[in-house]
Amino acid sequence: MAVYPSNQMERSSQKKWEGKVSSKSTKATGDQIWSLFKDFFNLHKYFPKLATCYGVHGTNGEPGCIRYCGGFSIPSNDRSSSWSKERLITVDDVERSLSYEIVESNIGFNSYVSTVKIVEEDEVGCVIEWLFTVNPVEGLELDDLVKRYEVGLQLIIQKMEDSIVKTFEQLV
């Protein structure tokens, strides 16, 4: 797992935070992992810290669609359950990447844009990269936020791999 915070300037300068985490899947191909990430309205199936995720606008997987997510491990501004509405910006099946933005939330993320990329490996498996930019978030430090993404990505990959292996076993 590699973590590359690319902008260490703190809130005093009000520069955007940028971060990147990546992790390898050794039990699934890039196409298998991509098909699950592309299911934009169902991230809760693979992210244990996400209690719910569903579409509120548009068609699942098409740019412009919006999902509602609730139950993140990121604390909310008002100490209630965390939630966000996220719009899918781009989907590229050839490059296996998608970008989305938070359009509304109670977690203090302003000007948030994220990109997920699935990169096929020469050997078995693939690498999943999760990049984000966001205005500095009150109450958080960039390094802490990157660590949360790192843990979240590991949990997501494990659940996705388990789902793919289980589906394969049911077919055999």
Side-chain angles (χ1 to χ4, degrees):
M1 172 72 61
V3 179
Y4 310 100
S6 58
N7 184 349
Q8 294 292 339
M9 305 198 95
E10 293 301 322
R11 279 184 276 288
S12 61
S13 66
Q14 291 302 303
K15 299 254 182 185
K16 284 195 177 285
W17 287 348
E18 297 179 2
K20 175 183 176 183
V21 298
S22 63
S23 190
K24 184 172 183 169
S25 169
T26 58
K27 298 179 183 175
T29 67
D31 285 339
Q32 289 171 318
I33 294 290
W34 172 241
S35 70
L36 301 178
F37 263 107
K38 194 167 93 165
D39 188 6
F40 194 67
F41 291 168
N42 289 298
L43 182 60
H44 65 291
K45 292 179 180 178
Y46 309 105
F47 194 10
K49 305 245 180 207
L50 190 59
T52 187
C53 178
Y54 56 85
V56 295
H57 174 77
T59 302
N60 189 11
E62 291 186 9
C65 70
I66 298 173
R67 67 183 175 194
Y68 174 88
C69 298
F72 285 108
S73 61
I74 307 278
S76 67
N77 289 340
D78 60 7
R79 303 197 192 286
S80 64
S81 296
S82 301
W83 61 269
S84 64
K85 290 184 181 176
E86 303 170 352
R87 179 184 5 252
L88 186 60
I89 301 169
T90 62
V91 178
D92 186 332
D93 288 316
V94 174
E95 295 293 322
R96 289 191 208 99
S97 70
L98 63 82
S99 295
Y100 64 95
E101 65 183 340
I102 293 179
V103 294
E104 186 179 353
S105 78
N106 71 342
I107 56 176
F109 281 25
N110 295 311
S111 297
Y112 175 92
V113 176
S114 189
T115 299
V116 175
K117 297 179 182 180
I118 316 301
V119 180
E120 197 78 44
E121 289 283 286
D122 290 334
E123 310 121 31
V124 174
C126 60
V127 173
I128 298 89
E129 299 175 345
W130 192 354
L131 302 88
F132 68 89
T133 62
V134 65
N135 286 345
V137 181
E138 188 175 330
L140 289 177
E141 297 296 325
L142 176 58
D143 288 339
D144 294 332
L145 185 59
V146 170
K147 286 176 188 168
R148 288 176 189 235
Y149 273 76
E150 182 178 34
V151 169
L153 182 58
Q154 290 172 347
L155 292 170
I156 290 168
I157 291 171
Q158 182 178 359
K159 293 273 284 185
M160 286 182 170
E161 287 176 336
D162 292 347
S163 174
I164 290 165
V165 168
K166 183 177 179 182
T167 299
F168 178 76
E169 289 172 350
Q170 290 174 347
L171 293 173
V172 176

